[in-house]
Amino acid sequence: MKICFGMIVFEGDYVLAECLRQAYPFANQILISQGPVKFWQQEGRTASLDKTNYIINNFPDPDNKIKIINGLWNEKDDQANAYCKYISPDTDYLWNLDSDEVYKTTDLIKIIDYLGSENPSSVGIRSCSFFGGFNHYLTGFELKKDNFLRIFKYTNGATWLTHRPPTLKHVTPLTQQENHIDSDRLYADIGAQIYHYSYVFPSQVYKKVNYYKNIVSKDRCIDDYFQKVYLNWVLGTTNRKKEVEQIFKGVHEFKPEYRGECFPIKFSGEHPEAINLNMKNLTERFDNELLFYR
């Protein structure tokens, strides 16, 4: 089973090293397109200012699996397609991997075994999306079936039709019958999921919502979400947290009329191995960022 992990990243150093550390042993290739899309270029950005480039350029790669493509992109579709020409033609599956997504070793093994036994044409994966630190994750809307389409049967020359949602366009039609495995079925069958550190760090959420509010979701996003919801919840007392949740039917940045309920609940499981190994540094970074925004 030959897996190519494809990643686009710009200023995504939060759990990037942990993401790569977990995926590396299972990859045939890891292709990374790095750089800003037009929105960030208009803000005067030409390259990541955080540790993203240092991490990807210095990540241990004894088997020469990693290829980095630096550039300036119009949008994320172009950025994702920039690495497609480097995909090995004998790749079995292209796995869309975000820099804030980390998998447990056992889940990677289960998923790859599942690909072998079920031979799906595409796979959605359930997301355990952490919010306001490492102790809570989002329910409701964030757990909706196939919110995260991640794995696609690869044929030589295939490219991304869209990045949102991830949709692969084949030059050579698939020889097999369409066999999509949705995220609910995958989780029911093998219990595997993404550990998604997407709403953890204040600076991360601030940049994410700024981009989505201006370019992607626009009027569907809560106005002043970062202050009204994220910081209000993270810095609030227990009663204040409940007030924020009641007002917005949860804490996701989409307005509740578009996404329904999305409440955070306490996480009681285990984080992926690489996250656990670096939890002290990660929590220190979270705490230091909070001090800046207080």
Side-chain angles (χ1 to χ4, degrees):
M1 183 70 66
K2 292 187 176 180
I3 307 291
C4 174
F5 290 95
M7 175 188 291
I8 65 173
V9 64
F10 171 70
E11 294 191 355
D13 69 352
Y14 305 97
V15 293
L16 174 57
E18 290 77 13
C19 167
L20 294 173
R21 194 166 293 124
Q22 292 297 124
Y24 190 88
F26 302 92
N28 185 56
Q29 291 179 291
I30 299 177
L31 305 178
I32 304 171
S33 292
Q34 188 283 140
V37 295
K38 189 173 182 180
F39 171 77
W40 293 112
Q41 294 170 43
Q42 291 172 339
E43 297 289 313
R45 312 290 269 282
T46 57
S48 295
L49 299 178
D50 63 0
K51 295 181 180 178
T52 293
N53 283 314
Y54 178 83
I55 291 169
I56 59 179
N57 289 324
N58 292 280
F59 189 85
D61 184 18
D63 300 320
N64 295 315
K65 297 179 179 182
I66 299 174
K67 170 73 176 175
I68 302 163
I69 304 96
N70 295 301
L72 305 176
W73 321 102
N74 183 49
E75 245 303 333
K76 292 187 177 182
D77 293 354
D78 309 299
Q79 188 171 2
N81 275 317
Y83 65 66
C84 285
K85 63 182 178 181
Y86 300 102
I87 301 173
S88 176
D90 60 351
T91 295
D92 294 302
Y93 283 97
L94 176 57
W95 192 320
N96 182 41
L97 181 67
D98 279 359
S99 63
D100 56 8
E101 298 176 353
V102 187
Y103 291 85
K104 287 183 176 178
T105 297
T106 52
D107 283 354
L108 286 162
I109 293 169
K110 287 177 184 177
I111 292 171
I112 292 171
D113 286 347
Y114 195 81
L115 296 178
S117 63
E118 299 298 320
N119 193 32
S121 52
S122 55
V123 181
I125 307 180
R126 181 184 189 266
S127 173
C128 178
S129 299
F130 291 92
F131 179 84
F134 297 88
N135 298 321
H136 292 84
Y137 70 96
L138 299 176
T139 60
F141 168 80
E142 196 73 3
L143 296 176
K144 185 180 176 182
K145 182 173 72 176
D146 278 353
N147 256 1
F148 300 90
L149 300 172
R150 284 296 177 262
I151 306 174
F152 299 84
K153 191 78 171 180
Y154 181 76
T155 57
N156 191 25
T159 55
W160 293 109
L161 180 62
T162 61
H163 177 74
R164 283 186 304 265
T167 308
L168 202 63
K169 178 176 66 175
H170 295 274
V171 176
T172 305
L174 288 174
T175 56
Q176 69 182 78
Q177 186 176 359
E178 185 76 17
N179 177 26
H180 174 67
I181 304 293
D182 68 55
S183 57
D184 286 354
R185 178 180 165 188
L186 184 77
Y187 189 71
D189 285 353
I190 62 175
Q193 62 182 345
I194 301 166
Y195 291 80
H196 201 175
Y197 299 89
S198 48
Y199 294 88
V200 174
F201 300 93
S203 63
Q204 173 193 34
V205 175
Y206 182 84
K207 287 186 285 188
K208 178 187 182 80
V209 175
N210 190 18
Y211 169 73
Y212 272 80
K213 176 70 174 172
N214 282 279
I215 299 299
V216 183
S217 308
K218 299 183 179 179
D219 291 339
R220 292 191 297 169
C221 280
I222 295 168
D223 293 332
D224 197 19
Y225 167 84
F226 182 73
Q227 293 288 340
K228 277 200 231 175
V229 182
Y230 177 82
L231 278 186
N232 215 1
W233 189 93
V234 173
L235 297 174
T237 63
T238 299
N239 287 338
R240 186 56 184 152
K241 290 180 194 294
K242 289 180 180 177
E243 288 175 9
V244 171
E245 293 174 20
Q246 288 168 1
I247 292 169
F248 297 101
K249 294 185 180 178
V251 293
H252 193 277
E253 83 263 16
F254 281 5
K255 294 174 181 176
E257 58 264 34
Y258 292 108
R259 46 93 166 149
E261 295 184 350
C262 187
F263 291 94
I265 65 171
K266 191 79 171 176
F267 178 68
S268 59
E270 285 288 327
H271 292 275
E273 298 90 331
I275 295 290
N276 278 334
L277 285 171
N278 199 33
M279 185 60 80
K280 182 176 182 293
N281 291 328
L282 293 170
T283 52
E284 283 181 0
R285 175 174 181 172
F286 172 75
D287 292 340
N288 289 334
E289 287 195 12
L290 270 188
L291 287 174
F292 176 80
Y293 286 101
R294 281 182 186 273

